[in-house]
Structures are given as structure tokens and as C-alpha cells.
């Protein structure tokens, strides 16, 4: 197919903290060197920030490096952390507040800020555009563009105006080729293209498989008399009894709290519904005391990569590199991935400019200098010191694993003379239905707890209905013959948006119905499907959630 094309020095896929930090730093260095540089950022969301979801307690370390004067520039960091409360929840009624000295230092948040990362990314986009970066929201990078020698030469944006069968409608517009000397993939956790590149170039060879969690977030307007700006609350224990994970409640600005749950996707009980675990969590007195009398105004969900140091792939390949959560740089010991994503972007930009500044450099070579720059950075050191955190929780459970992590982080500063590994992929850990205890979740009361469809409504999710489904089944028979038969089709439960349903025809035949319109782009189905039969691909640009300030 004949496609229009545009050429750049660097194309960046994804306008999140990693991609925008890469873009800003590239232009800063280019200006310092008085060098012309053409940088483009493509973003599948309808606007920058529309697909950003993060807790978020934000550490400014990388931002301080990128824009030391961020306060004067008006960065939306308005709520410094004032206190850390950490609880062990015994059951649905009781919880114990844990003294600070008994928790890992990585969980302490003095000097950090409670933020909306969506708004931080909007601000970063303004800084990038002021530096000369071109940002194209509403354009989904759907394919990797390869050069004749096999190196990456850019991306192709998705076609617009296809019907459900993939045939052009009257509104059809073919995607464009965005060609580049180097392409940076900053798509976030389980990136559609990053996943393909890891497989093609065998970037994860010799590493532990990546591990994931599903993270939920709601924003609530609460009674001003209950609001304590800057208070950070974390919990472990109930309701997660058959898995590992934890929850949070952050007091942000404007009488709002941010409440959520992270549940590790290595769970084995096929009856677990992460969404319902989150909904019943809010009835616990630790949360109810703040939420009661308030109003839920936003909802969203997103997978997060939590394998850490042991699961990091090789981040470079001919013609490009992976940054941020596309590579898995989140530090789960801190429950933070924004500052690490930004730092990986800064390192990417500096490594790129080392090569782009050389007049005799070979275009699309492997950026081997990035690997060394990464190893010499505080990012490498931070992730290395946290390498045992996740595996310890998986190996020993939340309570004993947490005790080990407190010992390692507080007394040994992450430098134990051994490394725990977790080499079992999340999707293979589900047990057959008959081996699992059924869970009876309480019905939502529409006051503190809610159903999936009313929640999706708050995410402002929308997709053009007459387009090919972006949730692809490798084998359409597997959901019934394998997943339903062995696991009671867990997609009905692990999806936080009601996308997957088992329906029965008048003849009594069962089939999987995919409600792709509901998809909030969390990627959980791509990760947790026990048959690895579901592949998430990008829908038409601008489709998906439209988060205002998540």
C-alpha cells in the first residue's frame, strides 16, 4: 500500500513520563550543541494524559535533573506528602497501624508529592512543544517499520475508517509512515509494539519473566472536614487473602482522595475478581472513614510491570530502544515507576545524542552506549537494591515477605549477598476450577462499591464502534474448549471493564462475547489469559479511556 511518510531524527511512541522526558532532554542537548533536531511524539490517546493512570506519589529526582526550575515553570506538584500511615488489615473490620521503623524505608515518602500524572504529562508536553518537539495525539502506532537490513526504521500509524471486517469505509484514511534514524518505544506496561520487539530481538533472553499487577484507581470528592492534604495511607492484608498486593489512599488537593488497589497477577485462584476485591476494600473502616459521605468522580485500571531488576530486558536493538514501563523500570519496592521511567528517558536521550552528534555514525545502529550509561546511573543502583522485593513477597507471602523486605531495605540497604528469582510466569499459575475455593463477593451498594459498567462510564471510555475488534483471539475455540472448561473462563473476572462475557444461545451453545467498546486499555487480558490466546492491539487512534486527571 502507498502511504504518506514523514521523516524525523527520532520518533517516540507514547506521551507518558518516559517518552516526554526523552523528547525534552533531546531538544535541550540539541540546543546546547546548536544542532538541528527533528523529534516527533505519537500518542494513541485523544490528548496527552488521556491514557495516563498512576496512583501517584511522585519522587522528583528525575524531574529535578530535567527541569531544575520546575516550580518556577508551574509544574502541577501542589501537595507535598505530610504523613505516612501503613496498616495491616486483619479482616473486613480490623486493622493494625504499623510503626514506621517496622516498614521498608522504600515505603516512606518524605519529600515526595501527591500528583495527577495525567496533569504532569500535560505539563511536560507543554515544555516539549516549547522546545520544538512535534506531538501528535490521537495517532496510534500500530506497526513497527523495519529497514531492509532488519533494523527498526520508525512506525506506521493505524489506519482510520475501517469497518468490523477490516474493509475501508467512506471515511477511510490509511496510516502514515513515520520514519526515523532512531525510534524510542515508551508505550507503558505491556506495550503492544514493545512486546513484539522483545520477542523478535530476543531481548529477554536469560532474564526472569516479567511479572505484573493490575492497579485500580478512583478519585473521590470527600467531606472537607475529613480531608488531610498530604496524608498517604498504604495497606496490606485483607481483602487479598489468596494473592499478594496492597492498597492505597492519598489525600490530594481540592478535597479529593485517590483510592486504589494493586493485585499481583500471579494469583492462582481462578475465581478471584480483582475488581470486586477493590470494591469490597472500600468498606473497611480504614477507607470508609474518609469515603463515607463522599462522591466517586473517576475510575480507571491499568496493568503495571513489577518484575523489576530481574526481569529487565536488553533495552536496545538496531534502530531503537525501550524506555520506562515498556522495559519494566518500575521500582515496586517504592510502588513508584514515574521517576524511574523519566530517568530511563533522560538516559535514552543522552545516549541518542552521543550518536546523533557524530557525523560518521551509522544510522539505526544498536545503541550499546545506552547499556553502559544505564549501568552507571542511579536508576540501575535503585533497581538493583530492590531486586529481591517482589520475589520475596511471592516466595514467602505478604507478611513474612514484608518482614524480609524490611530487614533487607532498612538494615542491608538492598545489598544482601544473594538474589531471589521468580521464574514462573504469571499466566501459568492459575489452578483448575475444581481445585479453587469459590469466592462469594458482596453485591455493590452503589454508595461505596459499584458495578463494572457504571465504573467504565466514569472512565469516559469510547471507541469507534464500526472498527475491527482490537482484542484478537489466536484460536476462537480456546475460550470455551479450554478456558471455560478448565478455569471457568477467568477473563470474565480479571477484566476490570466487563469486556468478556460467556453467553449462551437458544440452542444451549456457549461462546465468548467480546465487548471491545468497554476496554480501558489495561492489558490484563493480554497478560493473564492462561492460554495466552488474547492479543491486545491498538484500536483506532483516540479510542479508549479519556481520563481527565488520573
Amino acid at each position: 500500500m502507498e502511504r504518506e511518510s514523514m521523516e524525523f531524527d527520532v520518533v517516540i511512541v507514547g506521551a507518558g513520563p518516559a517518552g516526554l522526558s526523552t523528547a525534552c532532554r533531546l531538544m535541550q542537548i540539541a540546543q546546547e550543541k546548536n544542532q538541528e533536531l527533528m523529534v516527533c511524539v505519537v500518542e494513541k490517546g485523544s490528548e496527552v494524559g488521556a491514557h495516563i493512570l498512576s496512583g501517584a506519589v511522585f519522587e522528583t529526582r528525575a524531574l529535578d535533573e530535567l527541569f531544575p526550575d520546575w516550580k518556577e515553570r508551574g509544574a502541577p506538584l501542589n501537595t507535598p506528602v505530610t504523613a505516612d500511615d501503613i496498616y495491616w488489615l486483619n479482616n473486613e473490620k480490623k486493622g493494625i497501624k504499623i510503626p514506621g521503623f517496622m516498614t521498608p524505608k522504600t515505603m516512606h515518602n518524605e519529600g515526595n508529592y501527591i500528583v495527577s500524572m495525567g496533569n504532569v504529562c500535560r505539563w511536560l508536553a507543554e515544555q516539549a512543544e516549547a522546545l520544538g518537539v512535534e506531538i501528535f495525539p490521537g495517532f496510534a502506532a500500530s506497526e513497527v517499520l523495519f529497514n531492509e537490513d532488519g533494523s527498526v526504521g520508525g512506525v506506521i500509524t493505524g489506519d482510520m475508517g475501517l469497518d468490523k471486517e477490516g474493509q475501508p469505509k467512506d471515511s477511510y484514511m490509511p496510516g502514515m509512515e513515520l520514519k526515523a534514524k532512531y525510534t524510542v518505544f515508551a508505550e507503558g506496561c505491556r506495550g503492544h509494539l514493545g512486546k513484539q520487539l522483545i520477542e523478535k530481538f530476543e531481548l529477554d533472553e536469560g532474564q526472569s519473566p516479567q511479572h505484573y499487577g493490575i492497579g485500580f484507581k478512583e478519585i473521590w470528592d470527600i467531606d472537607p472536614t475529613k480531608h488531610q492534604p498530604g496524608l498517604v495511607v498504604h495497606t496490606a492484608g485483607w481483602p487479598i487473602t489468596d494473592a499478594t498486593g496492597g492498597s492505597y489512599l492519598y489525600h490530594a488537593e481540592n478535597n479529593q482522595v485517590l483510592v486504589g488497589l494493586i493485585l499481583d497477577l500471579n494469583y492462582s485462584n481462578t475465581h478471584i475478581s480483582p475488581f470486586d476485591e477493590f470494591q469490597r476494600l472500600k468498606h473497611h473502616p480504614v477507607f470508609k472513614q474518609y469515603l463515607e459521605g463522599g462522591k466517586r468522580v473517576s475510575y480507571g485500571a491499568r496493568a503495571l510491570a513489577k518484575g523489576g531488576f530481574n526481569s529487565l530486558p536488553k533495552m536496545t536493538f538496531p534502530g531503537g530502544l525501550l524506555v520506562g514501563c515498556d522495559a519494566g523500570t518500575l521500582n515496586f519496592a517504592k510502588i513508584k515507576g514515574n521517576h524511574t521511567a523519566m530517568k530511563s528517558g533522560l538516559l535514552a536521550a543522552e545516549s541518542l545524542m552521543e550518536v546523533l552528534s557524530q557525523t560518521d555514525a551509522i544510522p539505526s545502529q544498536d545503541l550499546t552506549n545506552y547499556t553502559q550509561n544505564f549501568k552507571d546511573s542511579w536508576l540501575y543502583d535503585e533497581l538493583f537494591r530492590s531486586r529481591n522485593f517482589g520475589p520475596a513477597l511471592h516466595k514467602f507471602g505478604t507478611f513474612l515477605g514484608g518482614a524480609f523486605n524490611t530487614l533487607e531495605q532498612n538494615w542491608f540497604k538492598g545489598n544482601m549477598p544473594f538474589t531471589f528469582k521468580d521464574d514462573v510466569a504469571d499466566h501459568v499459575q492459575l489452578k483448575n476450577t475444581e481445585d479453587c475455593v469459590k469466592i462469594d463477593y458482596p453485591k455493590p451498594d452503589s454508595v461505596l462499591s459499584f458495578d463494572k459498567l457504571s465504573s467504565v462510564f466514569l472512565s469516559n471510555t469510547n471507541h469507534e464502534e464500526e472498527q475491527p475488534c482490537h482484542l484478537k483471539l489466536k484460536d476462537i475455540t480456546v475460550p470455551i474448549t479450554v478456558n471455560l472448561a478448565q478455569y471457568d473462563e477467568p477473563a470474565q473476572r480479571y477484566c476490570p471493564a466487563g469486556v468478556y462475557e460467556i453467553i449462551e444461545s437458544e440452542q444451549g451453545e456457549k461462546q465468548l462475547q467480546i465487548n471491545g467498546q468497554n476496554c480501558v486499555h489495561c492489558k490484563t487480558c493480554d497478560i493473564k489469559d492462561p492460554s495466552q490466546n488474547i492479543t491486545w492491539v491498538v484500536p483506532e487512534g483516540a479510542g479508549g479511556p479519556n481520563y481527565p486527571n488520573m
Side-chain angles (χ1 to χ4, degrees), residues 66-80:
L66 180 59
F67 293 112
D69 58 344
W70 55 264
K71 288 184 180 179
E72 291 75 15
R73 289 172 176 259
L77 281 65
N78 304 317
T79 309

Side-chain angles (χ1 to χ4, degrees), residues 327-504:
T329 59
L330 180 141
N331 181 353
F332 197 66
K334 291 184 173 182
I335 326 176
K336 292 178 181 63
N338 292 307
H339 71 292
T340 54
M342 291 180 69
K343 180 60 176 177
S344 72
L346 302 187
L347 293 168
E350 289 157 7
S351 303
L352 283 163
M353 287 306 294
E354 286 178 24
V355 174
L356 291 170
S357 299
Q358 299 170 10
T359 54
D360 59 345
I362 303 170
S364 301
Q365 63 181 296
D366 195 331
L367 290 163
T368 51
N369 59 335
Y370 177 85
T371 302
Q372 190 59 51
N373 291 343
F374 171 66
K375 286 184 176 179
D376 292 340
S377 72
W378 59 256
L379 174 57
Y380 180 95
D381 181 65
E382 180 176 316
L383 294 179
F384 176 80
R385 290 171 184 265
S386 300
R387 70 196 182 283
N388 286 329
F389 200 94
L393 293 174
H394 293 174
K395 187 179 182 71
F396 302 120
T398 303
F399 189 80
L400 292 178
F404 169 83
N405 286 331
T406 299
L407 176 68
E408 182 179 45
Q409 295 301 320
N410 295 4
W411 292 92
F412 291 90
K413 296 182 171 56
N415 282 317
M416 286 280 203
F418 53 79
T419 297
F420 289 143
K421 294 287 186 74
D422 185 350
D423 290 332
V424 183
D426 294 341
H427 71 272
V428 303
Q429 302 205 34
L430 276 185
K431 295 179 180 177
N432 284 6
T433 308
E434 60 267 22
D435 298 325
C436 299
V437 176
K438 191 124 184 176
I439 303 173
D440 185 21
Y441 289 106
K443 290 184 178 180
D445 64 0
S446 299
V447 177
L448 294 178
S449 50
F450 304 88
D451 62 30
K452 286 183 179 179
L453 294 185
S454 66
S455 300
V456 173
F457 177 78
L458 285 181
S459 71
N460 303 305
T461 294
N462 186 58
H463 295 86
E464 170 61 46
E465 290 193 33
E466 289 296 318
Q467 66 170 303
C469 182
H470 66 281
L471 301 157
K472 307 292 187 183
L473 299 181
K474 298 174 185 174
D475 184 335
I476 61 173
T477 68
V478 162
I480 303 302
T481 60
V482 179
N483 288 359
L484 184 63
Q486 295 183 26
Y487 310 103
D488 191 28
E489 184 46 275
Q492 301 175 93
R493 294 175 294 281
Y494 60 59
C495 173
V499 170
Y500 300 97
E501 289 183 279
I502 295 294
I503 60 172
E504 193 168 333

Side-chain angles (χ1 to χ4, degrees), residues 88-108:
W88 174 265
L89 304 185
N90 307 77
N91 52 44
E92 70 274 13
K93 296 292 185 185
K94 294 182 179 180
I96 301 169
K97 190 174 180 179
I98 304 173
F101 73 89
M102 293 179 64
T103 62
K105 287 182 179 179
T106 53
M107 300 288 291
H108 300 180

Side-chain angles (χ1 to χ4, degrees), residues 19 35 103 211 220 273 294 327 341 386 392 416 441 518 530 540:
Q35 180 177 343
T103 62
H211 294 283
W220 285 66
S273 166
S386 300
M416 286 280 203
Y441 289 106
N518 291 357
E540 282 192 8

Side-chain angles (χ1 to χ4, degrees), residues 279-297:
Q279 295 307 311
R280 67 175 177 172
L281 167 80
K282 291 177 289 178
H283 289 272
H284 194 282
V286 167
F287 294 87
K288 185 177 180 180
Q289 64 179 319
Y290 299 114
L291 302 179
E292 200 166 35
K295 180 183 178 182
R296 185 179 73 147
V297 295

Side-chain angles (χ1 to χ4, degrees), residues 60-298:
T60 65
R61 190 172 186 179
L63 180 61
D64 294 337
E65 295 179 12
L66 180 59
F67 293 112
D69 58 344
W70 55 264
K71 288 184 180 179
E72 291 75 15
R73 289 172 176 259
L77 281 65
N78 304 317
T79 309
V81 173
T82 55
D84 277 301
D85 287 352
I86 301 179
Y87 291 86
W88 174 265
L89 304 185
N90 307 77
N91 52 44
E92 70 274 13
K93 296 292 185 185
K94 294 182 179 180
I96 301 169
K97 190 174 180 179
I98 304 173
F101 73 89
M102 293 179 64
T103 62
K105 287 182 179 179
T106 53
M107 300 288 291
H108 300 180
N109 288 291
E110 183 180 353
N112 297 332
Y113 291 79
I114 298 170
V115 303
S116 156
M117 277 311 295
N119 291 337
V120 171
C121 287
R122 291 181 178 98
W123 177 82
L124 281 170
E126 292 173 2
Q127 310 311 305
E129 289 180 323
L131 287 163
V133 176
E134 294 188 56
I135 301 178
F136 300 148
F139 287 87
S142 66
E143 296 178 52
V144 179
L145 187 63
F146 291 99
N147 298 316
E148 289 185 4
D149 63 359
S151 62
V152 171
V155 294
I156 302 173
T157 63
D159 296 341
M160 309 279 278
L162 295 175
D163 65 19
K164 288 185 177 180
E165 283 70 47
Q167 298 302 311
K169 299 184 293 188
D170 292 341
S171 59
Y172 174 70
M173 288 178 56
M176 292 186 62
E177 291 184 349
L178 301 178
K179 298 180 178 180
K181 296 174 183 173
Y182 291 97
T183 309
V184 179
F185 295 85
E187 306 162 284
C189 173
R190 193 73 166 195
H192 161 55
L193 300 181
K195 175 184 169 185
Q196 296 175 29
L197 291 164
I198 290 171
E199 182 178 356
K200 176 179 175 60
F201 291 107
E202 300 180 339
L203 303 177
D204 57 352
E205 186 177 3
Q207 298 296 93
S208 294
Q210 186 59 265
H211 294 283
Y212 301 90
I214 178 171
F216 294 88
K217 179 179 179 180
E218 292 177 352
I219 301 178
W220 285 66
D221 292 331
I222 66 166
D223 183 341
T225 62
K226 300 178 179 180
H227 190 234
Q228 301 178 45
L231 173 63
V232 168
V233 178
H234 284 116
T235 78
W238 186 90
I240 306 175
T241 54
D242 289 343
T244 52
S247 53
Y248 65 89
L249 187 144
Y250 305 150
H251 286 250
E253 54 193 319
N254 300 325
N255 297 316
Q256 289 189 326
V257 294
L258 321 174
V259 58
L261 172 79
I262 298 171
L263 191 146
D264 293 355
L265 288 176
N266 67 334
Y267 65 82
S268 60
N269 187 338
T270 190
H271 297 301
I272 283 180
S273 166
F275 175 88
D276 291 301
E277 298 285 358
F278 173 42
Q279 295 307 311
R280 67 175 177 172
L281 167 80
K282 291 177 289 178
H283 289 272
H284 194 282
V286 167
F287 294 87
K288 185 177 180 180
Q289 64 179 319
Y290 299 114
L291 302 179
E292 200 166 35
K295 180 183 178 182
R296 185 179 73 147
V297 295
S298 292

